[in-house]
Amino acid sequence: MTIAEQLKNARAKAELTQEEVAEKLGVSRQTVSNWENGRSYPDIVSMITLSGVYGVSLDALLKGDDALMEHLEESTDTVKSNKKLIAASAANILLFILILLFSGIIAQNKYLTGGVLIFGVCSITALFYQIIRKF
């Protein structure tokens, strides 16, 4: 059974509306609806709160939905996230240093200038993406 089905069944057994659950969690009713329809997943803190609100064990809510387990693992893996952020930062610093060192050569060749510009934009985009995901 998927987490969406688990949440919907648990709410029905607790005789609560989506609005009441949303109020207890401090989220919108649409958020609860999205969870129950499988459009998004609750975070781990919301899962713990839902477990208490519905009076079911956290284990009962989580087990059986591999997609949710993968989502939670990915969203809570800070070491992996930090490594990606450090790698993106290091790549940008290295690129900046290389551009400074070879600025004379780069400026003489319009294709090299274009390539460096494209690579720089991609590198900065990757860095900002990792920063945004972190927060």
Side-chain angles (χ1 to χ4, degrees), residues 102-118:
F102 298 106
S103 60
I105 297 169
I106 293 171
Q108 293 174 359
N109 186 329
K110 66 180 179 181
Y111 297 110
L112 190 56
T113 303
V116 168
L117 181 63
I118 290 170

Side-chain angles (χ1 to χ4, degrees), residues 69-78 80-81 133:
M69 295 304 290
E70 186 177 309
H71 167 75
L72 289 174
E73 188 176 309
E74 184 179 304
S75 66
T76 58
D77 190 353
T78 56
K80 188 176 179 182
S81 174
R133 279 191 57 139

Side-chain angles (χ1 to χ4, degrees), residues 85-100:
L85 182 58
I86 290 169
S89 298
N92 275 286
I93 291 168
L94 180 63
L95 177 66
F96 182 72
I97 291 170
L98 288 173
I99 289 172
L100 286 177

Side-chain angles (χ1 to χ4, degrees), residues 6-22:
Q6 291 275 47
L7 292 174
K8 196 174 217 174
N9 290 341
R11 182 178 55 78
K13 284 181 184 174
E15 298 180 348
L16 295 168
T17 65
Q18 287 181 346
E19 185 89 24
E20 291 168 330
V21 172

